[in-house]
Amino acid sequence: MAGNDSCHPVATDSVDASIRAGQHYVALVGPPNAGKTTLFNRLTGLRQKVANFPGVTVEHHVGRARTQQGREVFVIDLPGVYSLDARSEDERVTADVLTGAKTELGRPDSVVIVLDATNLHRHLLLAAPVLALGLPTLVVLNMADDLAARGGSVDTAALAAQLGAPVALVSAAKGDGVEKVMQFLEGSLARPHSTTKRVELPVLQDLPGCRTWAGQIGTKSGYRAPAPPVWTRRLDGIFLHPWLGPLIFVLVVAAVFETIFSGAQPLMDAVEKLIVTSGNSLAPLLPEGLLRGALIDGVWNGVGSVVVFLPQILLLFLFIGVLEDSGYLARAALIADRTMSRVGLQGKAFIPLLSAYACAVPAIMATRTIENTRDRIATILIAPFMTCSARLPVYLLIVAAFIPETAPFAGPIGARTAALLGLYIIGFLAAIVTAQLLRSTILRRERSTFILELPPYRMPSLRSLALRLWDRALIFLKRAGTVILGVLMVLWFLANFPRTNGQPPDPEHSYAGHIGHAAEPAIQPLGFNWKVGVGIVASFAAREAIIGTLGTLYGIENADKDSDKLQEALRADLTPAGAAALLVFFAFAMQCFSTTAIVRRETGGWFWPTVQFSYMTAFAYCSALITHALVSARI
Amino acid sequence: MQLDTPKPSPYPKSRVQLSFNKLRGKKLESVQPTSLADLRCGQHAVLGDLDVADELRRRLMEMGFFPGSRIDATGCAPGGDPRIYRVDGSEIALRAETAAQIRIRPLAAAAD
């Protein structure tokens, strides 16, 4: 897994000259797993944000570091790459930034290359092309503590003389040696004077030649490679044990589920309560009428319906952060690979698909750890079939309305539980069927490959976990405050206009009602009336929006999934067959504006989101049609 | 049946040899492993040619797979696939199908 943040945000600032503000500009570059992001966090702390270059999906963290003399330095954290070959987008952007081909910023004033000291030979492969650029460069050998603990050593002065660049031995996780990086940022770290003859830089295209060069450099600088990590061996003996390994894997997955569903519930309830009460107490401050309606019902409650998911998403990221930083995530991907390869996916798809049970948006962003384009597209296309948490309130409402609480299913399992479980299972099965279908159709020609580096186990640092969560929270709130807000405003407008004598129309005659009526011929065969149709239209912004919309249409205030009145109204308006069809439709349909937006961004065009949207909607429609026919025939 | 001394193959190390080894299966312990997939846990060897597409070859090299490097089979996932190899200071997991495309020589034969 990449050591840097595996998930990237939706809304970001664009990189242009103003972001640099004329300050000294330093680029941070390094291979994955070298601890580059940890060093970046050490240097900038909270004074960082995410930005992207126009026209590319690769994003970076940019931040400001303050040196001891109070000088502000602009730092950009480039994506982790093994080379500057420009084969992947990450590599292309890194090469463009370092050569100044990205004219927005110009060439960096200096470069900090972060390498893993415990794996110097391999990581020096990246140093060759970076040093060849001729910019003032600091070579940071990170993981100094690991190197020493495992009996390795290196003569930094000799290495500096060989490379012609200053070298700092650092432990970014512990903070040791970071002051040397600060000195370099101040410009006070002198370039070493070479007394012995340096090994010439190799021809960059010749990888074996580069490796020979790295080996010579290592020998001349007295590099003693550390012993293989003993603790990692021992832990792998447990975590990859033939039967203990899979057992621990299942327990970890179960713990993640338990936490994001049960554990997050009290927090989510608290957030919801906070939003409703604050909305109610804010309302009297505004004059009665359109403004109050738009601000409180449209904006406040709308954004609230999204912010409610914040605790759940943060808990999910906390889990993923601990698993990734500790090194277990790579082992989980390894264990999952065998099973995933059977359906044409690979082990690294496991984390995105697990995340998709909370929300498809972070899941699709997490597919960036999959370098193989074919595998990545396949994972992106099936991720929204996983039952995300926005579907759950809809499921709960309809299941509660149509299945009595005491109805039995089998033994101690009630019919309600069985129905919910069934919905999770059909979503999962649809994903598998789709993956198989992709393998034999549009993604047939390309091969799936799996190469995974297993980093040593490490203790996750609280500091970097906290920074990561802070980052996630800001990005999520920003998204809720922009895209989703806009869509909700439009929906509120559609449900409350046109006005007659300044009064909102009754739902049937609102614009939303007209849309619902227009959709009726299409949804009648599924057993839905126009009100459900409006709900479905609203749910394309966000699935759970159907609940609030139906509440409005049936004239029930503060409708939520537990509302008895709403359940009653649904029972009166929908046949059991229609209810079953609605559930199936929700299980399969791509009703999420944010997901479509993120798929467009991550795949760099409208092709894949269009394919995905059409396929899922058609799949959902046909399945709902069949379900309706089957259930109607049986009753 | 067990051969006492492995006879040098009349064929170059090619697909003929590979399928020949496959046909005779696990009984012929003494037949030298020719691909990384033949290497058992705990064994080590020297990497030979990487018979893979250019893209994958470069990627493998970036992960430390250079012809002539020592490689150790250190373990595998539960179920035996993917396998874990230690090469150039890092542990890398590969599927058996990829490992089968990577040629190896026994360590003793290494010139370095």
Side-chain angles (χ1 to χ4, degrees):
Chain A
M1 298 286 117
N4 58 347
D5 219 347
S6 58
C7 301
H8 293 251
V10 181
T12 54
D13 291 323
S14 190
V15 173
D16 58 35
S18 67
I19 202 168
R20 182 179 165 183
Q23 287 161 340
H24 188 79
Y25 158 35
V26 179
L28 222 59
V29 61
N33 291 320
K36 189 169 56 66
T37 301
T38 316
L39 180 66
F40 178 76
N41 288 340
R42 275 280 167 203
L43 294 175
T44 61
L46 285 177
R47 288 171 305 159
Q48 55 168 281
K49 60 181 173 181
V50 174
N52 71 304
F53 287 99
V56 291
T57 59
V58 179
E59 283 154 347
H60 333 272
H61 280 76
V62 295
R64 279 165 222 293
R66 195 189 296 275
T67 65
Q68 279 133 348
Q69 294 168 359
R71 183 180 176 197
E72 286 242 317
V73 179
F74 173 73
V75 189
I76 184 163
D77 184 20
L78 292 167
V81 291
Y82 289 109
S83 74
L84 300 183
D85 270 356
R87 279 172 302 141
S88 74
E89 193 170 19
D90 278 2
E91 289 169 359
R92 193 155 44 245
V93 169
T94 303
D96 284 351
V97 168
L98 292 178
T99 55
K102 288 276 163 204
T103 45
E104 294 88 353
L105 286 167
R107 266 163 86 95
D109 296 310
S110 53
V111 177
V112 173
I113 174 165
V114 185
L115 309 176
D116 178 355
T118 64
N119 204 345
L120 188 64
H121 286 141
R122 185 153 80 82
H123 279 198
L124 274 175
L125 286 181
L126 180 66
V130 173
L131 290 169
L133 294 168
L135 294 167
T137 302
L138 172 70
V139 179
V140 168
L141 303 183
N142 198 8
M143 324 260 180
D145 47 338
D146 252 26
L147 182 72
R150 282 160 48 192
S153 61
V154 62
D155 178 352
T156 50
L159 183 62
Q162 284 299 324
L163 294 174
V167 173
L169 197 60
V170 170
S171 168
K174 296 217 168 94
D176 302 336
V178 176
E179 69 284 349
K180 276 184 229 145
V181 184
M182 283 294 189
Q183 282 168 22
F184 173 77
L185 297 185
E186 274 169 2
S188 61
L189 213 59
R191 271 174 87 118
H193 295 288
S194 181
T195 46
T196 52
K197 189 170 159 29
R198 281 171 55 191
V199 182
E200 285 301 313
L201 277 179
V203 180
L204 299 179
Q205 281 72 38
D206 173 23
L207 268 180
C210 286
R211 179 60 185 82
T212 311
W213 168 80
Q216 287 169 350
I217 296 277
T219 313
K220 294 212 175 188
S221 54
Y223 178 62
R224 192 145 55 88
V230 180
W231 270 104
T232 295
R233 282 282 164 80
R234 284 184 196 154
L235 287 173
D236 271 345
I238 299 168
F239 289 131
L240 298 177
H241 187 271
W243 58 266
L244 213 50
L247 184 71
I248 294 170
F249 176 85
V250 169
L251 286 177
V252 167
V253 172
V256 172
F257 267 96
E258 177 64 19
T259 311
I260 62 178
F261 291 117
S262 313
Q265 206 52 53
L267 287 169
M268 290 170 79
D269 290 345
V271 171
E272 194 172 0
K273 206 170 165 191
L274 185 75
I275 290 159
V276 171
T277 42
S278 58
N280 288 345
S281 52
L282 279 174
L285 301 178
L286 293 164
E288 181 89 33
L290 201 54
L291 186 68
R292 189 202 279 190
L295 286 181
I296 300 298
D297 297 334
V299 178
W300 193 264
N301 291 341
V303 170
S305 70
V306 179
V307 172
V308 156
F309 291 102
L310 186 62
Q312 195 180 39
I313 289 180
L314 287 186
L315 268 175
L316 175 75
F317 276 110
L318 178 67
F319 249 105
I320 292 180
V322 170
L323 293 181
E324 183 171 346
D325 291 358
S326 65
Y328 183 74
L329 209 52
R331 275 76 185 178
L334 187 65
I335 292 173
D337 184 66
R338 201 172 147 91
T339 314
M340 308 278 276
S341 68
R342 297 223 172 107
V343 292
L345 294 168
Q346 60 142 293
K348 289 179 203 171
F350 159 74
I351 300 310
L353 294 183
L354 180 67
S355 313
Y357 277 99
C359 177
V361 173
I364 286 162
M365 294 187 290
T367 60
R368 291 182 171 201
T369 50
I370 306 173
E371 319 84 8
N372 183 304
T373 317
R374 184 221 161 274
D375 291 350
R376 181 159 176 233
I377 297 277
T379 311
I380 288 176
L381 292 181
I382 67 165
F385 275 119
M386 301 295 163
T387 305
C388 71
S389 54
R391 284 183 178 105
L392 193 58
V394 184
Y395 287 176
L396 288 173
L397 169 72
I398 300 172
V399 166
F402 286 88
I403 299 175
E405 200 174 350
T406 50
F409 176 68
I413 302 168
R416 280 185 178 181
T417 315
L420 272 181
L421 200 62
L423 287 164
Y424 272 81
I425 292 170
I426 60 170
F428 180 73
L429 291 179
I432 290 180
V433 168
T434 306
Q436 290 280 24
L437 201 67
L438 287 169
R439 185 160 69 158
S440 53
T441 56
I442 38 179
L443 292 176
R444 185 177 48 194
R445 277 188 301 154
E446 280 131 294
R447 279 184 72 82
S448 165
T449 51
F450 180 75
I451 305 177
L452 177 71
E453 180 169 359
L454 296 174
Y457 290 99
R458 288 197 178 96
M459 199 64 190
S461 99
L462 275 178
R463 195 188 148 92
S464 80
L465 283 176
L467 268 171
R468 185 197 289 246
L469 288 190
W470 170 252
D471 208 39
R472 287 304 102 193
L474 278 187
I475 288 156
F476 182 79
L477 291 174
K478 208 167 170 180
R479 185 167 73 91
T482 52
V483 182
I484 295 175
L485 177 67
V487 174
L488 288 166
M489 289 294 287
V490 170
L491 278 174
W492 178 84
F493 172 81
L494 291 177
N496 285 275
F497 283 83
R499 304 232 149 192
T500 41
N501 304 326
Q503 291 301 308
D506 72 89
E508 188 153 8
H509 297 106
S510 66
Y511 291 128
H514 292 311
I515 295 172
H517 277 296
E520 229 164 7
I523 58 174
Q524 207 120 52
L526 310 182
F528 309 157
N529 63 6
W530 70 270
K531 288 182 183 175
V532 177
V534 176
I536 289 177
V537 170
S539 72
F540 275 91
R543 291 181 174 94
E544 67 280 17
I546 191 178
I547 296 176
T549 310
L550 286 176
T552 315
L553 294 178
Y554 289 117
I556 298 159
E557 274 188 34
N558 290 333
D560 63 26
K561 63 183 190 311
D562 306 320
S563 166
D564 290 338
K565 279 187 198 158
L566 190 53
Q567 292 182 15
E568 238 165 71
L570 276 175
R571 269 197 298 272
D573 240 22
L574 271 177
T575 60
L582 189 59
L583 285 173
V584 169
F585 186 83
F586 265 81
F588 299 146
M590 171 84 169
Q591 296 150 294
C592 185
F593 182 77
S594 322
T595 306
T596 304
I598 195 74
V599 173
R600 193 203 74 79
R601 264 184 52 101
E602 295 293 314
T603 58
W606 280 109
F607 178 75
W608 290 114
T610 312
V611 167
Q612 182 177 40
F613 184 85
S614 319
Y615 170 77
M616 288 184 72
T617 309
F619 193 97
Y621 187 87
C622 296
S623 311
L625 195 66
I626 295 166
T627 309
H628 185 249
L630 284 179
V631 180
S632 302
R634 276 195 62 181
I635 294 172
Chain B
M1 125 189 172
Q2 190 92 21
L3 289 179
D4 290 324
T5 48
K7 282 180 188 164
S9 164
Y11 306 104
K13 276 174 188 166
S14 66
R15 294 192 192 284
V16 179
Q17 170 88 47
L18 189 70
S19 50
F20 176 71
N21 285 346
K22 258 188 192 160
L23 272 178
R24 302 177 101 180
K26 287 172 189 165
K27 281 188 178 174
L28 290 183
E29 296 269 328
S30 47
V31 170
Q32 283 177 1
T34 57
S35 89
L36 205 49
D38 302 333
L39 209 60
R40 300 211 166 172
C41 194
Q43 291 183 327
H44 48 70
V46 171
L47 279 169
D49 291 336
L50 313 176
D51 282 354
V52 293
D54 278 355
E55 174 72 31
L56 187 56
R57 181 184 301 121
R58 266 201 98 82
R59 212 174 131 52
L60 282 169
M61 283 185 176
E62 285 166 2
M63 306 298 270
F65 286 73
F66 288 101
S69 299
R70 177 196 162 118
I71 186 157
D72 289 69
T74 57
C76 60
D81 189 28
R83 315 241 184 115
I84 306 167
Y85 300 97
R86 184 167 189 88
V87 60
D88 212 358
S90 0
E91 308 233 319
I92 313 286
L94 294 180
R95 284 185 187 162
E97 58 180 54
T98 311
Q101 294 171 288
I102 298 173
R103 304 268 84 81
I104 51 169
R105 307 191 293 264
L107 191 57
D112 53 354

